[in-house]
Amino acid sequence: MNKYSASPERYKTMNYNRCGSSGLKLPEISLGFWHNFSANGNYENMKAMCFTAFDGGITHFDLANNYGPPPGSAEVNCGRILRNELSRYRDELIISTKAGYDMWEGPYGNWGSRKYLLSSLDQSLKRMGLEYVDIFYHHRMDPETPLEETMLALDQAVKSGKALYAGISNYDGPHMEEASEILSSLRCPFIINQNRYSIFDRTIEKNGLKNAAKRHGKGIIAFSPLAQGMLTNRYLGGIPQDSRIKTDGRFLHEDDLTRDRLAQINALNDLAAQRNESLAQLALGWVLKDSDITSVLVGASRPEQLTDNLQIVNRSPLTQEELDRIDLICGLEKH
C-alpha cells in the first residue's frame, strides 16, 4: 500500500494569519478532533479527513485530552495517523492539546492544578507518540485553583520542552488579562485563546475576551463556528433522523431548534445563496470577518465537508450591509 504524499500545491491557496503579535502563523481554517475521531470512528475516514485537510493547507490539528469517546481516543487516533502517514511532515504541522475537563478518577484528574496539567500533558504526549506539542492549553477557568498555579504549570510545560507555546480556552476577558500578566512576567510565550464564537454565540464580544485579546496582542481561534451544525444545510427542513441531534444529543438538542431559530437559519441560508455560498461558508466567513480572529476550527464527519469549508479561503468579504442584515436576522441591533 502506497504511503500518503502531500499535495505539492498545499500552500498555494490557504491564508496564514499571525497569532496575535507572536511569530506563529495559523491557517485560517484548522481541523478540530472534537468529533469523529473517537474509538468508534472509521479510521480510514479519519485518515482521509486529515489528508484532505493537509492537502488544502490546513496545518493545524487541534485536540484535547478528553476528546473521544472514550477520553483519550482522539489523541490515540491522531498519534496513529501521525506515526503511520504524516511523520515526515511533523515540522509542517501544528499539533495542540488541552487539559482542564474531567479526565480520570480521583481529585487529580480535573480542573487546573499543577499536578493535573503536567500529568495530563505527559499522558497526551504518550498517546500521540510525540516529544512535544506546539500549543498546550488550559481548557477552562478553575474557580478554586489559584490562577498563578495554573499559569506556572503552563510555563513549566513550555520550559520543559514539552510544548512550544501556551494557550488558554474558555476564559473571559478579565481572567485572560490576569493570565496574560502572569505569563508575561514569566516570559512564557502565551499566544492564543480558544473560545466558542459564531453568528449565534457572541459571548466573547460580551465578556471582554475579544477586546482583551486584541489589547494584549493575543490570537483567538474560534470553535463551534457552525453552532454544532445549526449553521449548515442539515436543519433547513427540520431535524433529520441521522443528524447529530438524533444520534448523539450531547451538545445539540431538539429544544435548541425552535421555530424562531429555524426561521433564522433559513433566512441566513437565503443570504448565503445570494452570495453564491453555502450556509456553512457564510458562517465561517462571518467568524473571520476581522483580523481579531486568527483561525476558525472546523469539525467534519467526511472529507467532502472539509472541501466545502476550504472554499471560504477565496471568499468575498462581507459588506457592512450584509453584516447588518445578519444582525437583524439574529434580532440584534446594528453595529
Side-chain angles (χ1 to χ4, degrees):
M1 186 176 183
N2 294 328
K3 284 282 188 179
Y4 163 74
S5 291
S7 167
E9 308 293 313
R10 61 189 178 278
Y11 293 119
K12 292 190 175 179
T13 55
M14 177 60 69
N15 298 318
Y16 297 89
N17 299 324
R18 191 169 298 281
C19 196
S21 58
S22 76
L24 186 68
K25 291 184 177 182
L26 294 181
E28 276 195 323
I29 303 171
S30 298
L31 179 61
F33 280 55
W34 187 12
H35 300 297
N36 304 311
F37 286 85
S38 71
N40 299 323
N42 182 291
Y43 180 68
E44 292 301 316
N45 187 57
M46 295 178 208
K47 287 198 305 182
M49 287 192 288
C50 289
F51 297 164
T52 299
F54 192 49
D55 284 344
I58 296 176
T59 53
H60 179 208
F61 295 168
D62 179 75
L63 300 100
N65 59 354
N66 64 333
Y67 288 176
S73 58
E75 289 182 329
V76 170
N77 283 319
C78 179
R80 184 180 173 190
I81 293 169
L82 290 172
R83 181 174 61 253
N84 294 336
E85 308 290 347
L86 294 171
S87 59
R88 60 176 165 151
Y89 302 109
R90 174 64 184 97
D91 290 338
E92 298 183 44
L93 292 168
I94 299 295
I95 307 297
S96 63
T97 197
K98 316 176 197 71
Y101 282 93
D102 189 37
M103 184 60 189
W104 63 83
E105 294 183 2
Y108 317 121
N110 203 351
W111 293 106
S113 71
R114 180 181 183 87
K115 166 73 171 174
Y116 169 55
L117 289 178
L118 295 179
S119 297
S120 179
L121 177 55
D122 284 342
Q123 291 181 18
S124 292
L125 292 174
K126 185 176 181 179
R127 281 190 290 268
M128 291 189 284
L130 297 176
E131 294 181 355
Y132 70 93
V133 292
D134 298 275
I135 304 171
F136 182 51
Y137 291 89
H138 183 224
H139 208 162
R140 61 170 169 170
M141 294 185 293
D142 184 342
E144 297 183 354
T145 301
L147 185 60
E148 185 176 30
E149 177 180 339
T150 302
M151 295 304 106
L152 279 166
L154 290 182
D155 181 60
Q156 175 65 25
V158 172
K159 290 177 178 171
S160 68
K162 295 177 181 179
L164 300 186
Y165 300 94
I168 56 177
S169 180
N170 297 304
Y171 276 57
D172 60 22
H175 287 91
M176 175 264 162
E177 292 192 278
E178 188 178 351
S180 181
E181 290 170 2
I182 294 169
L183 291 170
S184 178
S185 71
L186 296 168
R187 301 187 67 83
C188 177
F190 159 48
I191 65 168
I192 192 165
N193 301 271
Q194 185 171 140
N195 291 74
R196 187 187 305 272
Y197 191 41
S198 74
I199 288 173
F200 287 157
D201 189 336
R202 309 191 187 191
T203 302
I204 66 171
E205 297 177 0
K206 301 171 184 176
N207 67 11
L209 185 281
K210 194 177 182 194
N211 288 333
K214 187 173 184 177
R215 286 196 305 273
H216 286 258
K218 309 303 178 185
I220 299 175
I221 183 167
F223 71 87
S224 295
L226 304 181
Q228 294 297 320
M230 284 194 290
L231 290 166
T232 70
N233 62 7
R234 289 288 281 160
Y235 301 105
L236 294 174
I239 304 175
Q241 289 300 312
D242 63 345
S243 66
R244 186 176 294 171
I245 289 179
K246 293 289 189 180
T247 60
D248 189 327
R250 288 178 295 165
F251 308 108
L252 188 61
H253 310 95
E254 291 194 40
D255 291 345
D256 295 322
L257 282 171
T258 62
R259 181 176 298 178
D260 288 344
R261 180 64 88 197
L262 286 169
Q264 291 173 340
I265 292 169
N266 279 275
L268 291 168
N269 186 62
D270 290 342
L271 175 58
Q274 292 171 17
R275 288 174 50 85
N276 295 314
E277 294 178 343
S278 68
L279 176 54
Q281 290 167 352
L282 173 73
L284 295 174
W286 183 90
V287 172
L288 291 165
K289 64 186 177 297
D290 56 55
S291 60
D292 296 341
I293 306 300
T294 310
S295 182
V296 60
L297 275 165
V298 298
S301 60
R302 59 186 189 279
E304 293 78 13
Q305 291 175 328
L306 283 172
T307 301
D308 180 69
N309 292 338
L310 282 164
Q311 299 305 309
I312 71 161
V313 172
N314 299 314
R315 68 191 180 280
S316 298
L318 287 159
T319 66
Q320 188 60 53
E321 181 181 356
E322 289 169 331
L323 291 170
D324 290 342
R325 182 174 169 189
I326 289 170
D327 287 350
L328 184 62
I329 289 169
C330 295
L332 302 173
E333 295 180 358
K334 291 184 179 181
H335 296 292

